[in-house]
Amino acid sequence: MSELEARARAVLCDSYARLPVTLERGDGVWVFTDSGERLLDAVGGIAVNVLGHGNTRLVEAVAAQARAMIHASNLYYTRPQVELAERLVATAFPSRVFFSNSGAEANEAAIKIARKWGHLRKDGATEIVTLSGAFHGRTLGALAATGSARYSQFFQPLPGGFQQVPRGDLAALEAALGDTTAAVMLEPVQGESGVFALPLDHLRAIRDLCDRHHCLLVVDEIQSGMGRTGRMWAHQWAGVTPDIMTVAKGLAGGLPIGATLVGARADVLEPGDHGSTFGGNPLACAAGIAVLDTISEQNLVANAATVGDRLRAGIAALEDAGRPILEVRGLGLMLGVGLRRPIARAVATAALQGGLLLNPIGQRTLRLLPALTLGAAEADLVVERLDRALLAVAAR
Ligand SMILES: Cc1ncc(COP(=O)(O)O)c(C=O)c1O
C-alpha cells in the first residue's frame, strides 16, 4: 500500500473501490501517476473529460472566469449562465434550462418537474416509470428511479411513486402507463449497467406511448450525451424529441455541473419551486461554454463516431482472434466490452499495469468512455494494450 493510500484510508470513507494508483496530472488522453508513469486514459473521468486533460481553451476560460467572479448566487443574473443555456438549447430541442451541480441533481429536478406537471396537468398523476438496468444517480429520489437493490438495499425507505418495467418489453411498459403516470424516464444508452443502447425503434415507440398516455418523456443523457455516441444527444439517433433532458458529466469538461432542459409542455417551474446555491455558477458555466464551443469547432461529435467505429472494430477483431470477448456494445466512444468469463477487474488491473485505464463494471463488462478528442493512433493503442491485458489474464 502506498503512503498516500494509507493516509486516504485513515481519512476518507470507504465508499469507492479504487484501483491502487494515484493520478497527478493529465495531458490530452494521457494521465500521469505520482511516480511519473504515463497511462492512456480510456475512462475519461467516467465520461467527464470530454476534451481530454489540460485543454488550453478550457483551462483559460476557467482561469479568466475565476479572476472575474467565481460565484454570485442565483439571486442575480450572470452572463455565463445565460450564454451556456443558449448554447445548450441550440444543440437540443426548444427548451429552457435549470442548472444544478451533478447528474443526480439534474434528475431530481426532472422528477420534481414531472411531478408538478402531473399535479397541474394530469389530475395529480405523480408516478414515474423507469426501465430495468437504469442508473439515475444516488440521491434518494434518483435511487428510487434507479430501482436496483444493488444500490439501494440499505437505504430504504426510498420515496414512492416509481415503477420499473423490463428494458426491451414494450408491452410491459404500455401496461404500466395509466392515469397516475406522470413520466417515463430512461437512458437512451444505459451506462452503469454495462452499456446497453435502447433500440431506436423502441425509443420511437416509447415516445408514441408517452403521447398516447399523456405523460412526459424524460431522457437521462448524463452519460450518453455531449457528443459521445456520435450524435450530440443519443436520443437524436432515433429522431425523437423528449419533454425533459438531463445533462451533467462532460458538460463543463470536469467542473461540477448539472442541467435539466425542459420543453414548453413541461415547463412548470415557478420561483420558489426549486433551487441550488451553486447551480449554474459562473465558473462552471464558463467552462461549459468553452466545452460546447470546442466540441462544435473541432467537430468532436463526428470524431467520436469515426474513432469510436475504429475502436469498436479493433476490439471486435480481438474477439475474432479468440480473446474471451462475448460482444462489443454501445455507440461511438461509449463502449462496453462484454467478457465471456468473470475477469473484468483482473483485466482492468492488468491493463493498468500495462499503461491503460479501463473501467470494469461488475465482473463481465469493461467500459470505455475516453475523451472525444481520442485520435486514430491512440484508439489503436487502446486496442493493443487491451489485447495485452486480456492475454496476461488468460495466461494465469
Ligand atoms: C445515466 C446517469 N444518470 C445519472 C448519473 C448520476 O450522476 P452524478 O454521479 O453526477 O450524480 C450517472 C452517473 O454515472 C449516470 O451515468
Side-chain angles (χ1 to χ4, degrees):
M1 190 189 301
S2 74
E3 185 250 354
L4 190 75
E5 199 176 330
R7 282 167 55 197
R9 289 194 178 197
V11 294
L12 300 179
C13 289
D14 287 332
S15 49
Y16 302 102
R18 300 179 207 265
L19 289 170
V21 65
T22 301
L23 302 182
E24 224 162 49
R25 68 186 179 86
D27 182 10
V29 294
W30 297 89
V31 290
F32 295 81
T33 70
D34 57 349
S35 53
E37 240 183 305
R38 194 170 86 127
L39 310 173
L40 184 51
D41 181 5
V43 179
I46 322 184
V48 167
N49 300 305
V50 289
L51 303 186
H53 301 274
N55 178 277
T56 307
R57 182 170 180 176
L58 174 58
V59 169
E60 281 171 6
V62 170
Q65 185 59 49
R67 279 191 291 271
M69 177 180 265
I70 292 176
H71 179 78
S73 97
N74 283 306
L75 296 172
Y76 315 102
Y77 294 102
T78 54
R79 191 168 289 280
Q81 190 178 117
V82 177
E83 292 188 351
L84 179 59
E86 286 170 349
R87 281 170 171 72
L88 201 47
V89 168
T91 66
F93 55 98
S95 52
R96 298 197 297 174
V97 185
F98 176 85
F99 282 112
S100 52
N101 312 285
S102 66
E105 282 178 74
N107 284 337
E108 292 288 340
I111 292 164
K112 285 180 72 174
I113 292 165
R115 284 187 170 183
K116 183 170 181 190
W117 177 86
H119 278 294
L120 296 180
R121 308 273 153 80
K122 197 178 169 184
D123 297 329
T126 53
E127 192 165 79
I128 296 182
V129 179
T130 63
L131 305 185
S132 60
F135 184 84
H136 296 298
R138 304 219 185 222
T139 52
L140 292 174
L143 261 188
T146 293
S148 153
R150 181 171 151 227
Y151 299 107
S152 60
Q153 59 173 330
F154 296 117
F155 309 114
Q156 305 289 345
L158 299 181
F162 292 87
Q163 189 186 161
Q164 194 155 83
V165 298
R167 179 186 66 219
D169 188 342
L170 289 174
L173 178 66
E174 178 151 32
L177 302 182
D179 294 345
T180 57
T181 314
V184 174
M185 182 169 176
L186 57 84
E187 301 151 81
V189 185
Q190 290 187 342
E192 297 301 299
S193 61
V195 189
F196 293 96
L198 274 193
L200 300 182
D201 57 336
H202 276 217
L203 211 42
R204 289 184 203 113
I206 293 172
R207 174 70 272 182
D208 286 346
L209 286 176
C210 288
D211 291 339
R212 268 198 277 136
H213 292 271
H214 184 46
C215 58
L216 302 176
L217 175 61
V218 180
V219 297
D220 175 343
E221 293 263 15
I222 286 161
Q223 191 166 142
S224 58
M226 296 301 295
R228 175 157 300 283
T229 67
R231 286 285 172 96
M232 190 62 192
W233 309 106
H235 70 266
Q236 292 172 338
W237 284 108
V240 299
T241 304
D243 299 296
I244 299 177
M245 174 172 82
T246 55
V247 184
K249 287 200 183 278
L251 176 55
L255 267 77
I257 195 166
T260 307
L261 276 69
V262 188
R265 181 179 171 217
D267 196 342
V268 292
L269 284 185
E270 293 165 299
D273 278 343
H274 199 42
S276 165
T277 296
F278 293 117
N281 91 4
L283 193 67
C285 288
I289 292 167
V291 168
L292 287 180
D293 286 352
T294 305
I295 286 177
S296 150
E297 287 165 26
Q298 297 188 2
N299 290 322
L300 294 181
V301 183
N303 189 64
T306 50
V307 177
D309 283 350
R310 187 181 181 104
L311 189 55
R312 189 194 191 95
I315 298 171
L318 299 183
E319 179 186 342
D320 296 341
R323 306 295 178 262
I325 294 173
L326 188 64
E327 58 182 358
V328 190
R329 299 187 290 268
L331 288 165
L333 287 174
M334 181 173 183
L335 294 176
V337 182
L339 299 170
R340 287 188 188 281
R341 292 189 278 122
I343 53 172
R345 260 200 109 70
V347 175
T349 305
L352 177 65
Q353 284 153 4
L356 172 67
L357 291 183
L358 291 174
N359 174 232
I361 300 182
Q363 280 294 26
R364 287 191 183 263
T365 302
L366 294 166
R367 181 171 48 167
L368 293 89
L369 302 158
L372 308 185
T373 54
L374 191 78
E378 292 158 339
D380 295 348
L381 201 53
V382 170
V383 175
E384 200 181 303
R385 291 186 180 187
L386 169 62
D387 190 26
R388 257 190 270 143
L390 287 165
L391 285 172
V393 171
R396 282 177 199 161

